[in-house]
DNA sequence: GCAAGGTC
């Protein structure tokens, strides 16, 4: 008997379906001589410190550097503390029984580093010795699954990938557990002051932005605006330059040849530039972009959006939610026209679905090379029943985005008019000529600035217009806004963009800080630790958060680059570089940061709340 | 009591 093990039930069942195996059992399916089972993500985790003999939280134990890491069954929190998750234990037992019967195992966990780790941890924990092969596919269409099975790889081909995954896991444990205990113990508070490769740089970003915002000194500057009149249609033009002093601006204002000063036609049109600009539709959603949009539109937290999306996924209404790709492959694209047709009766955007039906679709979101473990989020085409208002809102964002993504470009005309009246003034305006994808939600254009005119009258070069009004404008420079959930998620994805080193940046771009699946939980962790709080839509540090930030802000553990460095090394391990060299470096770093924090925490000032 | 990673 061959046993196929997937990362999650949905994939296990999908593969079983392709094989025509339909017999449902408890925790697996069987048919055609195969058995199909699954994990629920990570079933096993690196054991907690006490399982290596490090009892309690004690400076004597630090740094904790286990000789050999152990695995333990995933735990859940109950009123009696942490206990084995019974569902996980049950599934592990099922997997063990199946592996015992197996002649061969086929590994069908997600095609990536963590997918490999999920299987290997199970395999080694169960002390299984059966031979295994690897299925490596990035979409779960029938064709992709069949092709993957014709192309099974030897299990050992992925040993180096497992090594890199295991290193990632151990390194996070060593640095996180030790740094957390070191700072918590030395701070003298009895609370948990957690630190980690992902959470601490994130906290640092929030704190740095908060302090920058709070300490920002606004600069006053001045502008002059005039209002020319074209046959009764007025528009606004603003001085080409900004002025540092009111006097400079006043001088420019005084030179304006307006009607009240006796100039009947003092606005001379120097030039009119009008150029069309194509604005392509947005890409399909991945989890992060959807969380950002839901936060902007509905004020949902990243965690709420993920929960709602998980509900929709479990009801088979949307595809896999925890994806980091905004693209689909050609195989999935083949089903898109039929999918669009399903929305022709939708009350909000049925009209646009009808318009797209049979039309030539925009293929910007179609690129198999940019599909990673999972493709972008799409509706499945199943008809929703009795969704809650919030679920419906998320569902509509997924479906609406699909219509946008395959819609036509939006064509705008950007107009710039230069007017001479004493000095030069600029009027700019954007007119949407063909709305294209913008028809789906009829949203306002975010890019549009305050000074812009909705529409500008038709004027020609050389024309002279009366200037009917003028004004001196006093303005102030603004600080970068505080992070909210949407802008933080975006910053986490692109933390690499502020890194100069090209190779580091590439490594960061692939991973960012955290992963789509973990970012929502990480934000919740910072809230739970009382490091940050929500103020309206903003995320701001608490006193505790700022105190921790002050202690660690110059340390490596607070820098996003730490992840970039690790990723680079892990990638080398994946291509065969030495594991032990990296492990030694991590141990050395763990010793160093533990010592530093044991000292630094003593100087901490934290109010006990 | 603690990390980051995955998912019901």
């Amino acid at each position: 008997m061959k046993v196929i093990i997937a990362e999650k039930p949905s994939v296990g069942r999908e593969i079983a379906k392709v094989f025509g195996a339909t017999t449902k059992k408890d925790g697996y399916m069987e048919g055609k001589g195969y058995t199909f089972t699954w994990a629920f993500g990570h079933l096993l985790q690196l054991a907690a410190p006490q399982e290596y003999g490090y009892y309690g939280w004690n400076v004597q134990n630090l740094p904790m550097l286990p000789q050999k890491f152990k695995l333990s069954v995933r735990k859940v929190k109950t009123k009696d503390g942490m206990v084995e998750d019974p569902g996980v234990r049950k599934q592990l037992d099922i997997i063990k029984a199946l592996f015992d019967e197996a002649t061969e195992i086929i590994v069908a966990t997600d095609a990536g580093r963590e997918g490999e780790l999920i299987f290997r941890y199970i395999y080694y924990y169960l002390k299984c010795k059966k031979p295994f092969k690897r299925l490596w596919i990035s979409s779960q269409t029938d064709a992709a699954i069949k092709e993957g099975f014709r192309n099974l790889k030897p299990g050992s081909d992925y040993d180096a990938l497992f090594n890199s995954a295991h290193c990632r896991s151990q390194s996070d444990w060593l640095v996180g557990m030790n740094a957390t205990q070191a700072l918590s113990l030395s701070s003298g508070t009895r609370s948990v002051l957690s630190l980690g490769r992902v959470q601490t740089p994130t906290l640092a970003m929030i704190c740095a932005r908060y302090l920058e915002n709070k300490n920002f000194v606004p600069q006053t500057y001045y502008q002059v605006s005039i209002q020319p009149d074209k046959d009764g249609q007025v528009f606004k033009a603003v001085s080409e330059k900004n002025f540092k002093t009111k006097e400079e601006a006043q001088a420019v204002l005084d030179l304006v040849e307006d009607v009240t000063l006796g100039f009947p036609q003092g606005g001379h049109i120097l030039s009119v530039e009008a150029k069309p600009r194509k604005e392509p539709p947005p890409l399909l959603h991945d989890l992060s972009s959807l969380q950002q949009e839901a936060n902007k539109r509905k004020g949902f937290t990243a965690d709420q959006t993920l929960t709602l999306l998980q509900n929709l996924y479990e009801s088979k209404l949307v595809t896999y939610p925890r994806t980091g790709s905004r693209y689909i492959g050609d195989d999935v694209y083949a089903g898109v026209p039929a999918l669009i047709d399903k929305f022709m009766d939708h009350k909000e955007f049925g009209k646009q679905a009808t318009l797209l039906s049979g039309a030539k679709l925009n293929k910007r979101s179609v690129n198999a090379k940019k599909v990673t473990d999972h493709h972008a989020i799409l509706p499945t085409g199943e008809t929703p029943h009795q969704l809650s208002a919030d679920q419906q809102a998320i569902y509509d964002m997924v479906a609406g985005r699909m219509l946008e993504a395959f819609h036509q470009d939006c064509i705008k005309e950007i107009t710039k008019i230069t007017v001479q009246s004493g000095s030069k003034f600029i009027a700019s305006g954007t007119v949407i000529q063909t709305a294209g994808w913008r028809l789906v939600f009829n949203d306002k254009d975010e890019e549009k600035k305050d000074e812009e005119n909705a529409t500008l009258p038709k004027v020609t070069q050389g024309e002279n217009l009366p200037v009917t009004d003028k004004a001196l404008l006093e303005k102030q420079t603004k600080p970068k806004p505080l992070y909210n959930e949407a802008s933080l998620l975006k910053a986490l994805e692109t933390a690499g963009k502020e890194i100069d080193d090209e190779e580091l940046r590439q490594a960061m771009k692939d991973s960012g800080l955290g992963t789509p699946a973990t970012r929502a939980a990480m934000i919740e962790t910072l809230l739970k630790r009382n490091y940050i709080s929500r103020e309206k839509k903003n995320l701001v540090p608490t006193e505790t958060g700022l105190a921790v930030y002050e202690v660690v802000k110059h340390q490596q553990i607070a820098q996003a680059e730490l992840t970039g460095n690790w990723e680079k090394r892990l990638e080398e391990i994946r291509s065969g570089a030495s594991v032990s060299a990296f492990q030694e470096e991590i141990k050395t770093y763990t010793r160093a940061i533990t010592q530093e924090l044991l000292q630094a925490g003593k100087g901490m000032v934290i109010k006990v709340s």
Side-chain angles (χ1 to χ4, degrees):
Chain A
M1 182 187 73
K2 290 187 182 182
V3 176
I4 290 136
I5 180 164
E7 180 154 328
K8 42 191 168 272
S10 65
V11 175
R13 293 196 185 101
E14 197 60 37
I15 296 173
K17 199 179 83 189
V18 172
F19 273 73
T22 50
T23 314
K24 285 185 188 173
K25 301 279 189 171
D26 192 6
Y28 65 103
M29 295 187 65
E30 61 182 17
K32 315 275 175 177
Y34 290 85
T35 305
F36 304 85
T37 189
W38 44 76
F40 307 124
H42 277 296
L43 301 182
L44 297 155
Q45 54 194 181
L46 296 181
Q50 65 265 27
E51 299 191 41
Y52 308 95
Y54 305 120
Y55 297 108
W57 288 41
N58 192 332
V59 177
Q60 308 297 318
N61 289 335
L62 302 183
M64 302 175 287
L65 301 166
Q67 285 290 320
K68 200 171 184 326
F69 276 95
K70 297 178 186 175
L71 294 171
S72 73
V73 177
R74 189 212 297 165
K75 305 289 187 292
V76 279
K77 210 168 229 169
T78 65
K79 55 181 183 335
D80 303 322
M82 304 295 277
V83 297
E84 261 187 18
D85 183 325
V88 166
R89 165 53 71 185
K90 184 180 167 196
Q91 190 65 14
L92 259 180
D93 290 342
I94 289 166
I95 293 168
K96 178 167 173 44
L98 294 173
F99 279 8
D100 284 346
E101 295 286 306
T103 52
E104 182 180 75
I105 297 163
I106 295 168
V107 184
T109 48
D110 290 356
R113 194 168 72 196
E114 290 304 319
E116 191 64 29
L117 193 63
I118 285 169
F119 166 70
R120 298 278 184 134
Y121 274 180
I122 295 170
Y123 186 80
Y124 297 130
Y125 180 78
L126 296 178
K127 298 193 167 61
C128 184
K129 305 288 178 210
K130 299 287 168 75
F132 62 91
K133 289 198 178 119
R134 187 69 159 99
L135 175 76
W136 195 267
I137 52 173
S138 57
S139 87
Q140 274 92 41
T141 60
D142 291 16
I145 291 170
K146 283 176 185 160
E147 177 61 25
F149 269 93
R150 280 193 290 272
N151 245 313
L152 292 176
K153 309 286 184 204
S156 58
D157 280 13
Y158 297 88
D159 287 353
L161 180 63
F162 162 65
N163 288 340
S164 79
H166 194 31
C167 263
R168 197 280 306 146
S169 180
Q170 293 173 346
S171 305
D172 278 327
W173 190 104
L174 287 171
V175 172
M177 295 291 188
N178 282 295
T180 297
Q181 288 200 14
L183 183 65
S184 303
L185 288 168
S186 67
S187 73
T189 64
R190 295 229 308 269
S191 54
V192 175
L193 299 177
S194 66
L195 298 173
R197 169 179 58 87
V198 174
Q199 63 171 267
T200 305
T202 305
L203 174 66
M205 283 165 55
I206 294 169
C207 290
R209 177 63 63 87
Y210 169 80
L211 294 172
E212 183 187 337
N213 185 285
K214 200 180 98 178
N215 298 328
F216 184 82
V217 181
Q219 303 286 322
T220 304
Y221 66 95
Y222 302 88
Q223 289 181 326
V224 176
S225 77
I226 60 169
Q227 185 180 272
D229 182 326
K230 165 74 180 182
D231 303 332
Q233 192 183 347
V234 297
F235 59 98
K236 189 169 137 189
V238 180
S239 50
E240 203 177 25
K241 283 181 258 175
N242 294 337
F243 305 100
K244 279 192 175 160
T245 66
K246 199 168 184 174
E247 289 68 31
E248 289 173 89
Q250 186 65 47
V252 169
L253 185 75
D254 292 343
L255 288 174
V256 174
E257 301 170 353
D258 62 327
V259 178
T260 48
L261 278 183
F263 296 93
Q265 292 191 313
H268 316 291
I269 306 297
L270 292 181
S271 66
V272 180
E273 285 172 45
K275 45 189 173 189
R277 205 182 79 193
K278 271 191 208 169
E279 191 185 16
L283 293 169
L284 290 166
H285 275 307
D286 63 8
L287 175 60
S288 185
S289 67
L290 185 67
Q291 285 169 320
Q292 289 167 46
E293 176 142 331
N295 183 251
K296 282 183 206 156
R297 282 179 192 267
K298 306 287 292 182
F300 294 165
T301 67
D303 199 44
Q304 285 171 323
T305 299
L306 178 52
T307 302
L308 290 164
L309 205 55
Q310 175 72 17
N311 293 339
L312 295 172
Y313 168 65
E314 284 168 17
S315 315
K316 306 207 185 315
L317 294 172
V318 302
T319 58
Y320 179 75
R322 294 176 207 83
T323 176
S325 173
R326 302 188 63 177
Y327 295 87
I328 57 173
D330 299 282
D331 48 357
V332 177
Y333 175 69
V336 166
L339 208 48
I340 289 174
D341 288 353
K342 300 253 186 190
F343 291 89
M344 285 164 58
D345 294 328
H346 190 283
K347 66 178 188 305
E348 197 182 339
F349 30 69
K351 212 172 137 189
Q352 294 308 311
T354 308
L355 193 86
L356 279 183
S357 178
K360 188 175 184 299
L361 299 182
N362 195 319
K363 291 184 74 175
R364 183 165 182 244
S365 287
V366 184
N367 187 342
K369 284 181 196 152
K370 292 190 177 174
V371 176
T372 44
D373 300 18
H374 304 277
H375 62 66
I377 305 171
L378 286 175
T380 57
E382 296 283 323
T383 310
H385 296 289
Q386 297 186 325
L387 296 184
S388 70
D390 288 353
Q391 285 175 328
Q392 185 73 47
I394 294 291
Y395 182 76
D396 285 351
M397 280 181 224
V398 173
R401 173 51 60 87
M402 172 181 75
L403 297 176
E404 288 182 319
F406 295 105
H407 217 295
Q408 298 312 306
D409 292 343
C410 168
I411 314 272
K412 293 172 174 177
E413 189 179 66
I414 305 207
T415 308
K416 185 177 158 190
I417 300 173
T418 310
V419 190
Q420 174 83 31
S421 188
S423 59
K424 276 187 196 170
F425 295 83
I426 311 284
S428 54
T430 304
V431 180
I432 291 180
Q433 293 188 314
T434 313
W437 63 270
R438 285 191 176 276
L439 285 168
V440 177
F441 284 106
N442 269 319
D443 273 344
K444 277 187 228 122
D445 193 345
E446 280 179 33
E447 279 179 47
K448 214 159 142 176
K449 299 182 196 81
D450 300 344
E451 288 91 21
E452 286 207 343
N453 298 276
T455 52
L456 285 169
K458 285 264 171 264
V459 297
T460 47
Q461 189 181 339
E463 222 176 324
N464 295 313
L465 303 176
V467 175
T468 54
D469 201 5
K470 60 179 177 180
L472 196 158
L473 312 171
E474 184 177 311
K475 301 211 167 175
Q476 294 208 309
T477 54
K478 291 198 185 85
K480 282 189 191 164
L482 296 169
Y483 278 120
N484 56 39
E485 220 138 336
S487 58
L488 180 66
L489 284 167
K490 193 173 172 189
L492 291 174
E493 279 182 292
T494 60
K497 274 197 177 155
E498 284 164 15
I499 296 174
D500 286 336
D501 185 279
E502 185 61 38
E503 255 189 303
L504 272 182
R505 197 161 61 206
Q506 200 52 45
M508 287 299 290
K509 212 184 140 213
D510 286 342
S511 59
L513 267 179
T515 71
T518 58
R519 283 181 195 131
M522 197 257 305
I523 295 173
E524 297 303 312
T525 297
L526 294 176
L527 288 158
K528 196 170 76 189
R529 297 270 177 271
N530 189 31
Y531 282 175
I532 63 172
S533 65
R534 291 198 175 95
E535 259 178 34
K536 291 178 191 159
K537 281 180 94 177
N538 292 326
L539 297 172
V540 297
T542 61
E543 280 191 46
T544 309
L546 285 168
V548 170
Y549 171 68
E550 284 305 321
V551 171
V552 300
K553 65 181 178 187
H554 298 304
Q555 312 260 18
Q556 264 193 69
I557 197 171
Q559 319 301 323
E561 286 88 337
L562 182 63
T563 290
N565 284 323
W566 285 21
E567 285 299 336
K568 199 169 146 188
R569 299 298 301 273
L570 292 169
E571 183 54 29
E572 285 164 9
I573 291 170
R574 197 195 62 78
S575 7
S578 155
V579 174
S580 55
F582 182 62
Q583 283 174 329
E584 279 311 313
E585 281 176 46
I586 293 293
K587 277 187 199 169
T588 305
Y589 176 60
T590 299
R591 287 189 192 98
I593 182 126
T594 304
Q595 281 313 313
E596 280 172 39
L597 290 170
L598 282 173
Q599 291 307 315
K602 291 178 188 165
M604 265 183 97
V605 185
I606 291 191
K607 263 202 243 162
V608 180
S609 48

